[in-house]
Amino acid sequence: MYQTSLVNCIFLFPPLSGLEGNQTDLDKRKEIFGKNLIPPKKPKTFLQLVWEALQDVTLIILELAALISLGLSFYHPPGESGGEMCGSAAGGVEDEGEADAGWIEGAAILLSVVCVVIVTAFNDWSKEKQFRGLQSRIEQEQKFQVVRGSQVIQLPVADILVGDIAQIKYGDLLPADGVLIQGNDLKIDESSLTGESDHVKKAADKDPMLLSGTHVMEGSGRMVVTAVGVNSQTGIIFTLLGAGVEEEEKKEKKVKKQDGAAAMEMQPLKSAEGGEADEKEKKKVSAPKKEKSVLQGKLTKLAVQIGYAGLVMSSITVTILVLYFSIDNFVMKKRPWMAECTPIYVQYFVKFFIIGVTVLVVAVPEGLPLAVTISLAYSVKKMMKDNNLVRHLDACETMGNATAICSDKTGTLTTNRMTAVQCYIGDVHYKKIPDPGVLPPKSLDLLINAIAINSAYTTKILPPDKEGGLPKQVGNKTECGLLGLILELKRDYQPIRNQIPEEKLYKVYTFNSVRKSMSTVIKLPDGSFRMYSKGASEIVLKKCSHILNEVGELRVFRPRDKDEMVKKVIEPMACEGLRTICVAYRDFSNDPEPNWDDENNILNDLTAICVVGIEDPVRPEVPDAIQKCQRAGITVRMVTGDNINTARAIAIKCGIIHPGEDFLCIDGKEFNRRIRNEKGEVEQERMDKVWPKLRVLARSSPTDKHTLVKGIIDSTMADQRQVVAVTGDGTNDGPALKKADVGFAMGIAGTDVAKEASDIILTDDNFSSIVKAVMWGRNVYDSISKFLQFQLTVNVVAVIVAFTGACITQDSPLKAVQMLWVNLIMDTFASLALATEPPNESLLKRKPYGRNKPLISSTMTKNILGHAVYQLVIIFTLLFVGEQIFDIDSGRDAPLHAPPSEHYTLIFNTFVMMQLFNEINARKIHGERNVFDGIFRNPIFCSIVFGTFVVQIVIVQFGGKPFSCQPLNLEKWMWCVFLGLGELVWGQVIATIPNLKLRFLRRAGQLTRKDELPEEDVNEENEEIDHAERELRRGQILWFRGLNRIQTQIEVVNTFKSGTSFQGAGALRRQSSTTSQTQDVTNVSSPSHVSLSNALSSPTSTTAATAPPTTGHSSCERIP
């Protein structure tokens, strides 16, 4: 009964005041209709993650080898002298007591594998937890406006209930299904459900159903929520997609074959529906299709190359050991193969195989994926504190390679606190807001009504939170500035709104990027209509045929009056950085009623009331942030919908452009004229002449922004593929945010659609937060490089030691368990230590790395090989003469299950000490001398180095047989530490060797080549040119310059011969002027461009002497 009456109450007669907010009622609704939540997919259990970690091929090989070793260790050949009969690898067979301990090595390897698996599973578990935490954070950020108890409040999307009245507006992602009860010019994008890209018009009397997961593209309105959570349209689809996940995985292939078309139709639903907890899991399905980030691509290639090298080394090691054993026993000593000795021989072969696998394990940097994960997760966590909410992990690292940022103006570069500071009303330009007494009463009344009614009713100015603070601006900030003007004129807008509530508005033409204006029609008491309009001043003034004079009467507004007003009022306001808004109105007769759908005729023949100059001050921290970007090799471009003069003034204040510089500052119309051909198609060649110098794009549409971003990314004119970051807040910014390498959405002013398309959400809408993202991105890249430098030094040394030792002494000086400790467990800690280094300002003092720069730089290669040489010299000295130096028994030529030797323990301990001190060296990868700089700012690093040292003491002193260690006395420990400290001294020696002396190392570090990349990545390469290449390129340029100069002069001579007078030369001059625009913005531009422009400037060039002077730029492009 309750349910039926409730449904009737809600859906048939929805109260405009919304739900009362009574807790009992709210709980009842939750119980009957459910919460607005879609249950996330269950996370993998720890045991499932353990099982996944066990699938690693290397670990499986080790496990099998360890099990075979374990089983064979319990076999003893018959007879007392069986062991001697069966031969030996070196030095005879151990006594019976030692043979009994043979199982320990196999057991220790298994134990090490268990440790590695648990550590890997734990890290995967933490990573998944991190993803879910990030997802829930994104969900908490999502709020929606609903009416409860006649009050408009912001509610988390999860708290919306059936029966709530939700206020919907441009840019919203609808959180639930509902029925429209009042709408203004509402258009919905239902492509996520239907696949149809056309926007659907909605009205209370025609097609009022609104569905969750669809986007509001225009207009505003109110809807009664009819279904939430799993009962909503999105919920039903997600339930179908998520139901029986395991069954779905089993039937995946079957579905692909049978229902290919259906699967294709369902795919957009997975990616388009955002804000759901299982979004990440769904994205994993299509992850391989997504282009890899710069770092991912480089790491994948590096891992493959190292894997191949390790496989070759391990194969050679096993082959040599088996051959040596076989030749020694069956050829040299001429022993027969006896059946009872087979298990012994197999045991030897298994031992050799374990050594080979150990070499492979050491060669492959297992710690690398962990280092990447830790570094990204750590950075993402810290970036949240810097107001960057990262939605896609790889965006964090990509941002470090950014070469261009296309930023919005309002709210990002400015404070987004609009204040009306000037106005033009009654033929008078007031530099300050005037006293209302001096204004014509009729004009004043019209202005107050026009602003109060023709603004979103959700836009308000509230009292300040703190006493003495500024009033709180809620809603559209430009409209807040206009409402502030009403308050400055000592009037109030609320009584007018109460008199004409939103439901009584006859027709609303909401603001969009095409109209650049908003208009509202009301019905007057006499039955006639009045339309109030406001928008960009030059656009609205073009539609005005009258203006109110000094006494509030209409006078004709002629074209020359408009031009004069633009010059004397609008341009001076704009040059002071003010946003200019024109307020106008028009009266209509009710007989006949106008055709409101005929926009061109309706939004015309207006009467101008006032032009308002609104100030939005530049954020105080922005100029410094932009200077940091420019120093870091990042070009900042402003893309705004504002007037070109306003945009230029703000750009100068921000430091994007400087007086006297050669730059482009154009509006959308001019931009399209320059980049499009006669057919209206964008040509990349034309785009390449515009974007390098473009700094400000004003009066731009979202399409212009997308075109610019695409043009910069697709350009191949420079040696490096540009990596572009874009900021956006509007619904139509979605395509540009998607196209960009990194899309930043505004957390405060941004629409849900923009946030959905973005990679990072700026929670404070501040440009300086983007600079912090660049710093963190570069820090991730550097952290991985630091870890690689350390890891590869360990790998190179361990592989060479294991290989050489095995070939010469038929046994590796570093045992399998010891290598596992060094390579897997210690490197896991090292990845944590080096991947959590905090960033510093010095990261912004260098240029971006670029896509084709080797992951291992020449400095890193020098460090890796330099430290490897030191470590190998020490280890081989200890291996071959260590027993004489320290007067101990030799560990070489030990039998199969011999007890641990002091000799080999000394080698192992010295090796670990050298790694510990080399970990400190690895903190610096650009040749810095002070490796201790900032070490205490990273407590994780300090604690891990100290902790590893303590564990090493325990292993050596108490590890015994499992770790093949013999306890060492204090003197030998001091020697080990001393040799380890030598790493720091040797690091200083390496730092003094200039890279130019080691040019061959550049090839050693060249781990990414263009021919290895997939076809689509080749154009996106970005290569850093070293000095040798630069000199070579300079030589080529000089050669082409000379050649082209001669060609130019010949062309000019031919032009004169053909009798075309000066026109041909002038055309050539103009063409060259345009071509030379790209010269000073690329590191090394095309030789023909350089030569042509130099030919023009050369005193010997006939063209320069004869052609009439032309300016390559219009008046708005260069600051005088």
Side-chain angles (χ1 to χ4, degrees), residues 506-533:
Y506 199 79
K507 174 76 179 171
V508 179
Y509 299 93
T510 51
F511 180 90
N512 63 29
S513 55
V514 178
R515 289 187 189 126
K516 296 272 186 202
S517 67
M518 175 184 177
S519 304
T520 303
V521 180
I522 60 167
K523 198 166 189 177
L524 297 174
D526 62 0
S528 62
F529 300 96
R530 176 168 289 170
M531 180 180 76
Y532 295 113
S533 198

mmCIF file of all heavy atoms in Angstrom, residues 506-533:
data_model
loop_
_atom_site.group_PDB
_atom_site.id
_atom_site.type_symbol
_atom_site.label_atom_id
_atom_site.label_comp_id
_atom_site.label_asym_id
_atom_site.label_seq_id
_atom_site.Cartn_x
_atom_site.Cartn_y
_atom_site.Cartn_z
ATOM 1 N N TYR A 506 9.233 31.903 -20.329
ATOM 2 C CA TYR A 506 8.502 31.427 -21.500
ATOM 3 C C TYR A 506 9.405 30.626 -22.446
ATOM 4 O O TYR A 506 9.022 29.594 -22.971
ATOM 5 C CB TYR A 506 7.884 32.624 -22.232
ATOM 6 C CG TYR A 506 6.763 32.234 -23.164
ATOM 7 C CD1 TYR A 506 5.479 31.970 -22.666
ATOM 8 C CD2 TYR A 506 6.983 32.115 -24.528
ATOM 9 C CE1 TYR A 506 4.456 31.577 -23.522
ATOM 10 C CE2 TYR A 506 5.961 31.737 -25.392
ATOM 11 C CZ TYR A 506 4.699 31.462 -24.876
ATOM 12 O OH TYR A 506 3.689 31.083 -25.725
ATOM 13 N N LYS A 507 10.615 31.116 -22.662
ATOM 14 C CA LYS A 507 11.559 30.444 -23.565
ATOM 15 C C LYS A 507 12.962 30.867 -23.171
ATOM 16 O O LYS A 507 13.204 32.027 -22.853
ATOM 17 C CB LYS A 507 11.267 30.852 -25.023
ATOM 18 C CG LYS A 507 12.254 30.358 -26.059
ATOM 19 C CD LYS A 507 12.076 28.897 -26.370
ATOM 20 C CE LYS A 507 13.054 28.419 -27.430
ATOM 21 N NZ LYS A 507 13.046 26.963 -27.595
ATOM 22 N N VAL A 508 13.887 29.897 -23.170
ATOM 23 C CA VAL A 508 15.289 30.216 -22.825
ATOM 24 C C VAL A 508 16.198 29.704 -23.940
ATOM 25 O O VAL A 508 16.101 28.551 -24.351
ATOM 26 C CB VAL A 508 15.701 29.561 -21.482
ATOM 27 C CG1 VAL A 508 17.159 29.875 -21.167
ATOM 28 C CG2 VAL A 508 14.803 30.033 -20.351
ATOM 29 N N TYR A 509 17.053 30.605 -24.452
ATOM 30 C CA TYR A 509 18.115 30.210 -25.388
ATOM 31 C C TYR A 509 19.408 30.188 -24.568
ATOM 32 O O TYR A 509 19.989 31.242 -24.323
ATOM 33 C CB TYR A 509 18.237 31.220 -26.539
ATOM 34 C CG TYR A 509 16.984 31.362 -27.373
ATOM 35 C CD1 TYR A 509 16.036 32.350 -27.080
ATOM 36 C CD2 TYR A 509 16.746 30.525 -28.464
ATOM 37 C CE1 TYR A 509 14.888 32.499 -27.849
ATOM 38 C CE2 TYR A 509 15.589 30.664 -29.230
ATOM 39 C CZ TYR A 509 14.666 31.649 -28.920
ATOM 40 O OH TYR A 509 13.535 31.791 -29.680
ATOM 41 N N THR A 510 19.790 29.016 -24.143
ATOM 42 C CA THR A 510 20.941 28.943 -23.230
ATOM 43 C C THR A 510 22.242 29.267 -23.956
ATOM 44 O O THR A 510 22.328 29.161 -25.181
ATOM 45 C CB THR A 510 21.061 27.539 -22.595
ATOM 46 O OG1 THR A 510 21.013 26.575 -23.643
ATOM 47 C CG2 THR A 510 19.961 27.287 -21.599
ATOM 48 N N PHE A 511 23.244 29.612 -23.170
ATOM 49 C CA PHE A 511 24.566 29.948 -23.733
ATOM 50 C C PHE A 511 25.188 28.690 -24.321
ATOM 51 O O PHE A 511 25.138 27.621 -23.729
ATOM 52 C CB PHE A 511 25.474 30.501 -22.635
ATOM 53 C CG PHE A 511 26.846 30.863 -23.134
ATOM 54 C CD1 PHE A 511 27.113 32.135 -23.610
ATOM 55 C CD2 PHE A 511 27.875 29.928 -23.146
ATOM 56 C CE1 PHE A 511 28.372 32.468 -24.080
ATOM 57 C CE2 PHE A 511 29.131 30.251 -23.622
ATOM 58 C CZ PHE A 511 29.384 31.525 -24.090
ATOM 59 N N ASN A 512 25.771 28.813 -25.507
ATOM 60 C CA ASN A 512 26.638 27.743 -26.020
ATOM 61 C C ASN A 512 27.752 28.382 -26.839
ATOM 62 O O ASN A 512 27.761 29.585 -27.079
ATOM 63 C CB ASN A 512 25.857 26.688 -26.811
ATOM 64 C CG ASN A 512 25.199 27.246 -28.060
ATOM 65 O OD1 ASN A 512 25.679 28.193 -28.665
ATOM 66 N ND2 ASN A 512 24.071 26.638 -28.448
ATOM 67 N N SER A 513 28.693 27.548 -27.261
ATOM 68 C CA SER A 513 29.894 28.079 -27.905
ATOM 69 C C SER A 513 29.600 28.668 -29.281
ATOM 70 O O SER A 513 30.400 29.430 -29.806
ATOM 71 C CB SER A 513 30.941 26.978 -28.038
ATOM 72 O OG SER A 513 30.389 25.877 -28.732
ATOM 73 N N VAL A 514 28.451 28.321 -29.864
ATOM 74 C CA VAL A 514 28.098 28.877 -31.177
ATOM 75 C C VAL A 514 27.429 30.229 -31.003
ATOM 76 O O VAL A 514 27.810 31.215 -31.629
ATOM 77 C CB VAL A 514 27.167 27.902 -31.944
ATOM 78 C CG1 VAL A 514 26.758 28.492 -33.285
ATOM 79 C CG2 VAL A 514 27.846 26.553 -32.131
ATOM 80 N N ARG A 515 26.429 30.295 -30.094
ATOM 81 C CA ARG A 515 25.697 31.556 -29.885
ATOM 82 C C ARG A 515 26.574 32.629 -29.236
ATOM 83 O O ARG A 515 26.456 33.802 -29.539
ATOM 84 C CB ARG A 515 24.498 31.316 -28.962
ATOM 85 C CG ARG A 515 23.374 30.529 -29.576
ATOM 86 C CD ARG A 515 22.173 30.496 -28.629
ATOM 87 N NE ARG A 515 21.166 29.562 -29.105
ATOM 88 C CZ ARG A 515 20.666 28.576 -28.397
ATOM 89 N NH1 ARG A 515 21.067 28.383 -27.153
ATOM 90 N NH2 ARG A 515 19.752 27.772 -28.902
ATOM 91 N N LYS A 516 27.390 32.218 -28.289
ATOM 92 C CA LYS A 516 28.194 33.144 -27.464
ATOM 93 C C LYS A 516 27.295 34.144 -26.735
ATOM 94 O O LYS A 516 27.701 35.274 -26.435
ATOM 95 C CB LYS A 516 29.209 33.918 -28.310
ATOM 96 C CG LYS A 516 30.265 33.068 -28.979
ATOM 97 C CD LYS A 516 31.462 32.842 -28.105
ATOM 98 C CE LYS A 516 32.579 32.123 -28.834
ATOM 99 N NZ LYS A 516 33.501 31.462 -27.958
ATOM 100 N N SER A 517 26.023 33.747 -26.526
ATOM 101 C CA SER A 517 25.101 34.627 -25.805
ATOM 102 C C SER A 517 24.007 33.778 -25.171
ATOM 103 O O SER A 517 23.856 32.606 -25.500
ATOM 104 C CB SER A 517 24.471 35.653 -26.767
ATOM 105 O OG SER A 517 23.623 34.988 -27.689
ATOM 106 N N MET A 518 23.249 34.405 -24.239
ATOM 107 C CA MET A 518 22.117 33.732 -23.607
ATOM 108 C C MET A 518 20.936 34.685 -23.663
ATOM 109 O O MET A 518 21.088 35.889 -23.437
ATOM 110 C CB MET A 518 22.450 33.390 -22.155
ATOM 111 C CG MET A 518 21.270 32.802 -21.385
ATOM 112 S SD MET A 518 21.680 32.517 -19.663
ATOM 113 C CE MET A 518 20.103 31.919 -19.045
ATOM 114 N N SER A 519 19.761 34.142 -23.976
ATOM 115 C CA SER A 519 18.559 34.982 -24.056
ATOM 116 C C SER A 519 17.405 34.291 -23.349
ATOM 117 O O SER A 519 17.283 33.061 -23.392
ATOM 118 C CB SER A 519 18.180 35.240 -25.512
ATOM 119 O OG SER A 519 19.277 35.807 -26.200
ATOM 120 N N THR A 520 16.571 35.093 -22.674
ATOM 121 C CA THR A 520 15.402 34.570 -21.957
ATOM 122 C C THR A 520 14.177 35.396 -22.327
ATOM 123 O O THR A 520 14.216 36.632 -22.296
ATOM 124 C CB THR A 520 15.643 34.646 -20.426
ATOM 125 O OG1 THR A 520 16.828 33.930 -20.112
ATOM 126 C CG2 THR A 520 14.474 34.050 -19.653
ATOM 127 N N VAL A 521 13.083 34.687 -22.659
ATOM 128 C CA VAL A 521 11.830 35.360 -23.037
ATOM 129 C C VAL A 521 10.843 35.241 -21.876
ATOM 130 O O VAL A 521 10.681 34.155 -21.304
ATOM 131 C CB VAL A 521 11.219 34.717 -24.299
ATOM 132 C CG1 VAL A 521 9.918 35.418 -24.686
ATOM 133 C CG2 VAL A 521 12.219 34.751 -25.452
ATOM 134 N N ILE A 522 10.206 36.378 -21.509
ATOM 135 C CA ILE A 522 9.147 36.344 -20.483
ATOM 136 C C ILE A 522 7.874 36.951 -21.071
ATOM 137 O O ILE A 522 7.930 37.733 -22.024
ATOM 138 C CB ILE A 522 9.560 37.105 -19.198
ATOM 139 C CG1 ILE A 522 9.858 38.580 -19.500
ATOM 140 C CG2 ILE A 522 10.712 36.443 -18.495
ATOM 141 C CD1 ILE A 522 9.950 39.445 -18.261
ATOM 142 N N LYS A 523 6.757 36.558 -20.475
ATOM 143 C CA LYS A 523 5.482 37.106 -20.928
ATOM 144 C C LYS A 523 5.106 38.256 -20.009
ATOM 145 O O LYS A 523 5.085 38.096 -18.781
ATOM 146 C CB LYS A 523 4.410 36.010 -20.903
ATOM 147 C CG LYS A 523 3.189 36.324 -21.735
ATOM 148 C CD LYS A 523 2.337 35.081 -21.943
ATOM 149 C CE LYS A 523 1.243 35.362 -22.971
ATOM 150 N NZ LYS A 523 0.447 34.158 -23.242
ATOM 151 N N LEU A 524 4.826 39.427 -20.583
ATOM 152 C CA LEU A 524 4.484 40.615 -19.789
ATOM 153 C C LEU A 524 2.987 40.580 -19.427
ATOM 154 O O LEU A 524 2.194 39.871 -20.070
ATOM 155 C CB LEU A 524 4.819 41.881 -20.572
ATOM 156 C CG LEU A 524 6.317 42.067 -20.896
ATOM 157 C CD1 LEU A 524 6.515 43.275 -21.790
ATOM 158 C CD2 LEU A 524 7.154 42.196 -19.636
ATOM 159 N N PRO A 525 2.578 41.350 -18.406
ATOM 160 C CA PRO A 525 1.156 41.332 -17.977
ATOM 161 C C PRO A 525 0.172 41.633 -19.103
ATOM 162 O O PRO A 525 -0.950 41.116 -19.110
ATOM 163 C CB PRO A 525 1.108 42.424 -16.899
ATOM 164 C CG PRO A 525 2.502 42.486 -16.370
ATOM 165 C CD PRO A 525 3.400 42.193 -17.521
ATOM 166 N N ASP A 526 0.569 42.464 -20.096
ATOM 167 C CA ASP A 526 -0.363 42.807 -21.173
ATOM 168 C C ASP A 526 -0.420 41.736 -22.273
ATOM 169 O O ASP A 526 -1.060 41.929 -23.312
ATOM 170 C CB ASP A 526 0.001 44.170 -21.779
ATOM 171 C CG ASP A 526 1.389 44.154 -22.411
ATOM 172 O OD1 ASP A 526 2.046 43.083 -22.376
ATOM 173 O OD2 ASP A 526 1.818 45.195 -22.939
ATOM 174 N N GLY A 527 0.289 40.621 -22.066
ATOM 175 C CA GLY A 527 0.239 39.524 -23.040
ATOM 176 C C GLY A 527 1.355 39.562 -24.057
ATOM 177 O O GLY A 527 1.572 38.596 -24.791
ATOM 178 N N SER A 528 2.065 40.707 -24.143
ATOM 179 C CA SER A 528 3.203 40.784 -25.089
ATOM 180 C C SER A 528 4.419 40.079 -24.469
ATOM 181 O O SER A 528 4.378 39.627 -23.329
ATOM 182 C CB SER A 528 3.522 42.239 -25.409
ATOM 183 O OG SER A 528 3.914 42.905 -24.227
ATOM 184 N N PHE A 529 5.508 40.008 -25.244
ATOM 185 C CA PHE A 529 6.709 39.290 -24.796
ATOM 186 C C PHE A 529 7.904 40.243 -24.755
ATOM 187 O O PHE A 529 7.994 41.192 -25.537
ATOM 188 C CB PHE A 529 7.034 38.131 -25.754
ATOM 189 C CG PHE A 529 5.933 37.111 -25.857
ATOM 190 C CD1 PHE A 529 5.007 37.172 -26.899
ATOM 191 C CD2 PHE A 529 5.800 36.098 -24.915
ATOM 192 C CE1 PHE A 529 3.984 36.246 -27.005
ATOM 193 C CE2 PHE A 529 4.792 35.155 -25.019
ATOM 194 C CZ PHE A 529 3.880 35.224 -26.059
ATOM 195 N N ARG A 530 8.796 39.953 -23.836
ATOM 196 C CA ARG A 530 10.067 40.693 -23.780
ATOM 197 C C ARG A 530 11.202 39.673 -23.679
ATOM 198 O O ARG A 530 11.122 38.720 -22.894
ATOM 199 C CB ARG A 530 10.104 41.645 -22.589
ATOM 200 C CG ARG A 530 11.466 42.348 -22.448
ATOM 201 C CD ARG A 530 11.405 43.488 -21.458
ATOM 202 N NE ARG A 530 10.636 44.618 -21.989
ATOM 203 C CZ ARG A 530 10.258 45.671 -21.274
ATOM 204 N NH1 ARG A 530 10.536 45.721 -19.971
ATOM 205 N NH2 ARG A 530 9.574 46.650 -21.822
ATOM 206 N N MET A 531 12.232 39.890 -24.484
ATOM 207 C CA MET A 531 13.406 39.009 -24.448
ATOM 208 C C MET A 531 14.617 39.790 -23.956
ATOM 209 O O MET A 531 14.913 40.865 -24.475
ATOM 210 C CB MET A 531 13.701 38.446 -25.846
ATOM 211 C CG MET A 531 14.914 37.519 -25.879
ATOM 212 S SD MET A 531 15.237 36.869 -27.526
ATOM 213 C CE MET A 531 15.968 38.303 -28.306
ATOM 214 N N TYR A 532 15.257 39.256 -22.918
ATOM 215 C CA TYR A 532 16.507 39.831 -22.421
ATOM 216 C C TYR A 532 17.656 38.997 -22.976
ATOM 217 O O TYR A 532 17.584 37.767 -23.016
ATOM 218 C CB TYR A 532 16.555 39.813 -20.898
ATOM 219 C CG TYR A 532 15.515 40.690 -20.242
ATOM 220 C CD1 TYR A 532 14.469 40.138 -19.505
ATOM 221 C CD2 TYR A 532 15.584 42.081 -20.343
ATOM 222 C CE1 TYR A 532 13.506 40.936 -18.896
ATOM 223 C CE2 TYR A 532 14.628 42.891 -19.742
ATOM 224 C CZ TYR A 532 13.595 42.319 -19.019
ATOM 225 O OH TYR A 532 12.647 43.113 -18.422
ATOM 226 N N SER A 533 18.726 39.683 -23.381
ATOM 227 C CA SER A 533 19.862 38.977 -23.985
ATOM 228 C C SER A 533 21.165 39.510 -23.417
ATOM 229 O O SER A 533 21.268 40.701 -23.099
ATOM 230 C CB SER A 533 19.817 39.188 -25.509
ATOM 231 O OG SER A 533 20.600 38.236 -26.149
#
